Amino acid sequence: MQPTILQCRCGQVQLHLSEAPIAQFYCHCGDCRAVTGGGYSPLALFPAASVKLAGGDTTTWTYQTMPRTRCAHCGTLLFGESPGMNMRGVSGFLLPPDLFKPTFHIRCQHAVMPVKDDLPHFKDVPAAFGGDDEAVGW
Ligand SMILES: [Zn+2]
Ligand SMILES: [Zn+2]
């Protein structure tokens, strides 16, 4: 992947991406809905070391177990980092459309805004993420 630079809404904070995403998906969990203010959250998982912060101040807040980092000035959600997984889930809202290519939905059992598309809709998470591949019937 070409190195890619993303930025928050006000432009003070940049994310430098140096590797291709490991997985891209939509998460319907209550935490993602609360922190994004949306019906679900678009996420692109990258190796943690390949996502470098630059520019202005950020603020990190942990709800339950996942620290989520925002621009301290405009509040744009930048990424969450799963403890012990060494990956950063970058907000898909920041990625250019030609890079954000989600291939499944997770935590659909919590969905308040079901999305009818051709992607797999996992009730929890796929087997590759430690789940059981069970899907919901959307
Ligand atoms: Zn900002
Ligand atoms: Zn979530």
Side-chain angles (χ1 to χ4, degrees):
M1 188 183 89
Q2 293 280 359
T4 301
I5 299 175
L6 311 177
Q7 65 177 18
C8 65
R9 210 61 173 162
C10 77
Q12 292 188 15
V13 177
Q14 293 84 41
L15 287 182
H16 293 248
L17 307 179
S18 57
E19 291 182 33
I22 297 163
Q24 301 186 81
F25 52 89
Y26 295 104
C27 183
H28 293 256
C29 82
D31 291 0
C32 282
R33 294 203 312 270
V35 299
T36 62
Y40 46 88
S41 173
L43 290 164
L45 277 187
F46 293 89
S50 74
V51 180
K52 296 223 181 334
L53 270 171
D57 292 337
T58 58
T59 177
T60 299
W61 182 72
T62 301
Y63 179 66
Q64 298 192 45
T65 58
M66 185 182 292
R68 290 178 167 90
T69 299
R70 297 176 179 275
C71 169
H73 184 67
C74 71
T76 298
L77 180 62
L78 301 164
F79 60 84
E81 188 157 349
S82 287
M85 289 183 65
N86 207 25
M87 284 189 273
R88 286 180 168 174
V90 174
S91 170
F93 290 127
L94 303 177
L95 271 69
D98 63 339
L99 185 56
F100 185 61
K101 303 286 186 201
T103 57
F104 55 93
H105 295 251
I106 67 169
R107 307 212 193 278
C108 295
Q109 63 186 318
H110 305 294
V112 295
M113 191 182 289
V115 178
K116 295 186 188 338
D117 58 19
D118 294 334
L119 304 177
H121 302 99
F122 295 108
K123 187 174 176 186
D124 187 36
V125 294
F129 286 27
D132 62 6
D133 272 349
E134 187 180 349
V136 296
W138 301 349

